[in-house]
Amino acid sequence: MPHNAYSSTWFRLFMPLQTEEMTAREVAFLSRQLSLPRYARVLDLGCGYGRHALGLAARGYRVTGLDRDAAAIAEATRRTRAAGQMDVAWVVGDLRALGELPGEFDAAISMWQSFGYFDPGANAAILRQLHAKLTLGGRLVADLFNRAYFERNQGEQRREIDGVMVETRGYMAGDRWHSTLTYRDARGVIEEDHFDWQVYTPAEFAALADACGFATRLTCAWADEAMPAAPEHARMQILLQRV
């Protein structure tokens, strides 16, 4: 079973669930918080197929997308060409080696819970590297799981996606959320995935950010500035600024 490595089955089933409406709402939120021209150069961390990167590029941003999955970067490159977008660069790379990435950025985004895969020391090191990569006053938008929600919603679920039964078992172990996915069709088990993240409360992430040289400027839920982060919402967005 892969550990924190997304299988081809995961990509096939879950990527289509990221609807155009969802992406448009999130890109609009990013554009409001990363206004042009101040935040023109954006680093998209864990970019996947590049849905946010392409949306921002269409609005005039110069975007670099980083992901460790070479197949995802290949698909992002194909989509860039299909969309005729020129201001997107794609890089296969590890979040823990951000210091090796050339140049600096006005802003960075980490969407769809792409932060927290590693141990606490490595996660903090990533934030410190991001601090060094951003210009003074640069911003980071982190789209994270809210730990309080997942502490309340542990257990097993089953759902069918495109003819495949997805069995999910989610549980907390300390400050980490674990999610084990088993994929079945008429033939039996196709594949399994296991993911785990260090997950935070808003106050915990703000404290970590402060220790890494950031100030918290906004905390909300579902890309809506008027909606507070709360245990009822699985996701939260935290806007940090380099100070």
Side-chain angles (χ1 to χ4, degrees):
M1 178 187 300
H3 181 73
N4 282 348
Y6 291 79
S7 68
S8 59
T9 303
W10 187 94
F11 274 100
R12 177 169 64 86
L13 297 179
F14 285 95
M15 292 302 276
L17 301 183
Q18 301 170 346
T19 64
E20 291 183 6
E21 179 183 3
M22 176 194 302
T23 301
R25 182 174 68 250
E26 292 168 352
V27 169
F29 170 78
L30 293 170
S31 299
R32 291 193 299 271
Q33 300 306 320
L34 308 174
S35 57
L36 289 172
R38 171 62 182 88
Y39 301 105
R41 297 172 298 174
V42 178
L43 175 61
D44 185 355
L45 302 166
C47 63
Y49 289 171
R51 62 191 181 99
H52 298 104
L54 289 171
L56 290 172
R59 290 174 175 247
Y61 293 84
R62 300 191 301 277
V63 187
T64 297
L66 176 75
D67 203 289
R68 66 182 178 182
D69 191 295
I73 290 295
E75 175 61 17
T77 302
R78 186 195 68 78
R79 294 187 180 197
T80 303
R81 292 170 179 162
Q85 293 286 1
M86 302 301 295
D87 289 332
V88 183
W90 302 109
V91 179
V92 177
D94 193 305
L95 293 176
R96 293 165 292 185
L98 288 174
E100 299 174 6
L101 196 64
E104 62 180 6
F105 300 89
D106 304 311
I109 62 174
S110 177
M111 304 299 291
W112 229 44
Q113 184 54 44
S114 295
F115 182 85
Y117 288 112
F118 309 110
D119 62 70
N123 292 331
I126 290 169
L127 275 186
R128 289 193 293 270
Q129 289 185 73
L130 275 172
H131 184 275
K133 275 290 165 192
L134 293 175
T135 55
L136 184 62
R139 289 185 165 186
L140 166 64
V141 177
D143 178 26
L144 305 170
F145 286 159
N146 188 335
R147 190 171 85 204
Y149 174 90
F150 288 90
E151 286 174 339
R152 297 181 178 189
N153 290 274
Q154 304 179 64
E156 299 182 358
Q157 296 180 343
R158 301 174 80 244
R159 64 186 297 194
E160 185 175 331
I161 306 174
D162 195 24
V164 175
M165 183 60 66
V166 181
E167 301 170 356
T168 304
R169 186 168 74 94
Y171 61 95
M172 291 292 304
D175 65 355
R176 299 191 74 86
W177 172 252
H178 292 255
S179 183
T180 300
L181 286 73
T182 302
Y183 311 103
R184 301 179 187 272
D185 64 9
R187 299 166 297 174
V189 174
I190 304 170
E191 202 162 16
E192 293 185 332
D193 280 324
H194 181 95
F195 310 115
D196 70 86
W197 300 265
Q198 184 181 7
V199 288
Y200 306 85
T201 65
E204 287 172 341
F205 192 75
L208 172 62
D210 181 75
C212 294
F214 289 97
T216 301
R217 299 303 188 202
L218 172 71
T219 301
C220 65
W222 298 114
D224 181 348
E225 292 90 341
M227 183 177 294
E232 293 76 26
H233 306 306
R235 290 167 56 192
M236 59 184 180
Q237 292 74 48
I238 300 183
L239 173 65
L240 306 179
Q241 188 159 13
R242 178 185 171 177
V243 295

